[in-house]
Amino acid sequence: MNQTASANYRFFILILVVVIAGLSQGLLLPLLTILLEKAGVSSGVNGLNAAALYIGVFLTMLVIEKPVQRFGYKRIITWGILLVTIATFLFPLWQSLVFWFVLRVLVGVGDSALHYASQLWITSTSPAEKRGRNISIYGMSYAIGFSIGPLGINLLPFGVGVPFVAVGAFFILALLLLLKLPHEYPVREEKAASARSRYVSAIQLAWFALIPSFFYGYMESSINSNFPVYGLRMGMSESWISFLLPVVGIGSLILQLPLGIWSDRIGRKPVLILSGFAGALAFLAVPLFKDNEWGVLTAFLIAGGLVGSFYSLGLAYAADLVPKSVLPAANIIASINFSVGSIVGPNLGGLGIQYVSPGSMFYFLGGIFLLFTVCGLFFRRAKQEKKTSLIHFTN
């Protein structure tokens, strides 16, 4: 197998793994919530239990860089899949809040490990002219899996354990596919810089490219957690709310690949700035429609299509800006930003709905994306390139 064919095969397998990982998360999140709701657990405790996933993600990002450097991409992805698979099979054995909290933390650890390694593998090995396209396909693949996942809830009539077994079977398939990939490792400098200097370098060189992951996590979690409350207070029916929630993801699926290809041609920065600005206007328009479901649907489709690519485009832009030896640190910062945004979003949105107005959640969303646009006006890559040279010289 020649080098090009080998790279294409590796990319294909990684994309399949990501689809399965998305399917797992898309099913486990609502499935566990439904089972706890049926067991009479309060919504507050239910939500707190669900937060265990992001705790696992956050903790993993504090330590994941060195294991990837030591053991390579393939082994970390494999261990991540094994951890998620084992936890998935254990869920139906004992319905206990503490037991499920621990298992959700383990799922967060395994899921974040396999995502970090696969994202880094793709961004570090993709040629610059295809990086935006490849990372957009990655994001789109996860979104497809995440959208399909909830369909597994329909397996519940066959037994509580059946959906979990189905997810585990898909992960076993992913492991079998992964076995054929070669062992590869992140690029290291001949004289390794300290961890602190790598993180400082990543922030200095790519702070603007690392912000989108926070905003994406904020947007995704805020919409999924707060919009049902907003919709009910606006007089929307539950069926319309359930119909509108996936629209943001559908918009992302439609525009993610075109935006990625466009960013390869004209640059990541202008695409991110234009998408952030137009997405902000779409979010700010939602309260104007009030209970007009079709108006909200249109705004969601536009906003989701434009800012639904923020995480993947931000990673691609960071890969453009930092040396390959600093890229692992940049990916860790992006993952931490995403998990922090995912925690902040629902809490800030919920407080806004409770103490300001139902529409405040969209004012917050529109405001942060407008702030991002302004930040982009102050970011200058030329100055960062000088810093890159200085960092290489001093290291």
Side-chain angles (χ1 to χ4, degrees):
M1 188 181 293
N2 60 45
Q3 189 173 359
T4 302
S6 177
N8 289 337
Y9 177 76
R10 177 186 61 212
F11 181 69
F12 175 72
I13 296 301
L14 289 175
I15 290 303
L16 284 180
V17 170
V18 169
V19 171
I20 293 171
L23 186 149
S24 166
Q25 290 306 307
L27 173 59
L28 288 180
L29 286 171
L31 176 61
L32 296 175
T33 299
I34 289 171
L35 292 176
L36 289 177
E37 176 69 19
K38 287 183 176 180
V41 175
S42 70
S43 59
V45 174
N46 204 330
L48 182 62
N49 197 263
L53 175 72
Y54 298 110
I55 294 174
V57 172
F58 183 81
L59 293 176
T60 304
M61 288 304 104
L62 299 178
V63 299
I64 192 63
E65 184 180 6
K66 288 186 177 180
V68 173
Q69 290 177 342
R70 180 179 178 182
F71 300 108
Y73 303 116
K74 178 180 174 180
R75 289 189 180 95
I76 296 300
I77 296 173
T78 301
W79 293 344
I81 291 175
L82 283 172
L83 195 56
V84 175
T85 304
I86 292 170
T88 300
F89 283 134
L90 291 175
F91 272 114
L93 298 184
W94 186 24
Q95 189 167 323
S96 160
L97 282 174
V98 176
F99 184 59
W100 279 18
F101 186 91
V102 173
L103 292 182
R104 278 175 150 169
V105 170
L106 294 179
V107 169
V109 170
D111 193 59
S112 59
L114 74 90
H115 276 296
Y116 172 77
S118 56
Q119 288 168 7
L120 186 58
W121 204 351
I122 290 173
T123 54
S124 61
T125 57
S126 296
E129 67 274 10
K130 292 183 178 180
R131 188 174 290 138
R133 185 204 69 170
N134 287 353
I135 198 65
S136 293
I137 292 174
Y138 176 94
M140 186 170 64
S141 301
Y142 180 81
I144 290 172
F146 195 86
S147 300
I148 296 173
L151 296 176
I153 295 173
N154 295 313
L155 296 174
L156 276 176
F158 300 100
V160 172
V162 174
F164 298 99
V165 172
V167 170
F170 276 114
F171 271 120
I172 291 173
L173 172 62
L175 279 175
L176 294 176
L177 294 171
L178 198 65
L179 291 175
K180 296 185 177 181
L181 293 184
H183 290 289
E184 295 183 19
Y185 298 81
V187 174
R188 299 186 187 183
E189 292 181 349
E190 292 184 6
K191 184 178 180 182
S194 67
R196 181 178 180 276
S197 67
R198 288 198 306 274
Y199 286 100
V200 171
S201 298
I203 294 171
Q204 287 178 333
L205 298 172
W207 60 267
F208 179 69
L210 298 173
I211 294 175
S213 57
F214 173 86
F215 287 163
Y216 179 80
Y218 183 103
M219 181 272 295
E220 183 184 67
S221 61
S222 180
I223 292 293
N224 288 331
S225 301
N226 299 138
F227 178 71
V229 178
Y230 171 86
L232 289 172
R233 295 195 179 188
M234 289 295 102
M236 296 180 187
S237 65
E238 293 181 1
S239 59
W240 258 107
I241 292 171
S242 65
F243 178 69
L244 288 170
L245 278 173
V247 170
V248 174
I250 292 171
S252 173
L253 288 175
I254 293 172
L255 288 184
Q256 185 139 180
L257 185 57
L259 287 176
I261 295 173
W262 194 30
S263 75
D264 286 333
R265 294 177 180 174
I266 71 168
R268 323 279 182 219
K269 179 181 173 182
V271 172
L272 282 167
I273 290 177
L274 290 173
S275 297
F277 179 72
L281 297 181
F283 279 128
L284 291 171
V286 172
L288 300 178
F289 294 114
K290 295 184 179 179
D291 60 347
N292 185 330
E293 292 92 348
W294 290 104
V296 174
L297 184 149
T298 303
F300 271 15
L301 196 64
I302 294 172
L306 292 169
V307 304
S309 303
F310 255 46
Y311 191 94
S312 56
L313 282 179
L315 285 181
Y317 194 22
D320 294 340
L321 295 170
V322 303
K324 285 191 175 181
S325 58
V326 179
L327 189 56
N331 274 257
I332 286 175
I333 294 171
S335 297
I336 290 175
N337 285 347
F338 171 78
S339 60
V340 172
S342 298
I343 295 170
V344 171
N347 287 286
L348 186 58
L351 289 173
I353 291 174
Q354 183 175 353
Y355 295 108
V356 183
S357 69
S360 63
M361 66 169 288
F362 294 106
Y363 300 143
F364 291 159
L365 281 167
I368 64 171
F369 284 108
L370 285 178
L371 177 62
F372 173 79
T373 302
V374 174
C375 288
L377 302 178
F378 292 94
F379 182 75
R380 294 291 182 270
R381 182 178 181 179
K383 293 181 181 179
Q384 311 303 336
E385 289 172 346
K386 293 179 182 178
K387 290 181 182 178
T388 305
S389 300
L390 180 60
I391 288 166
H392 280 302
F393 179 77
T394 55
N395 287 337

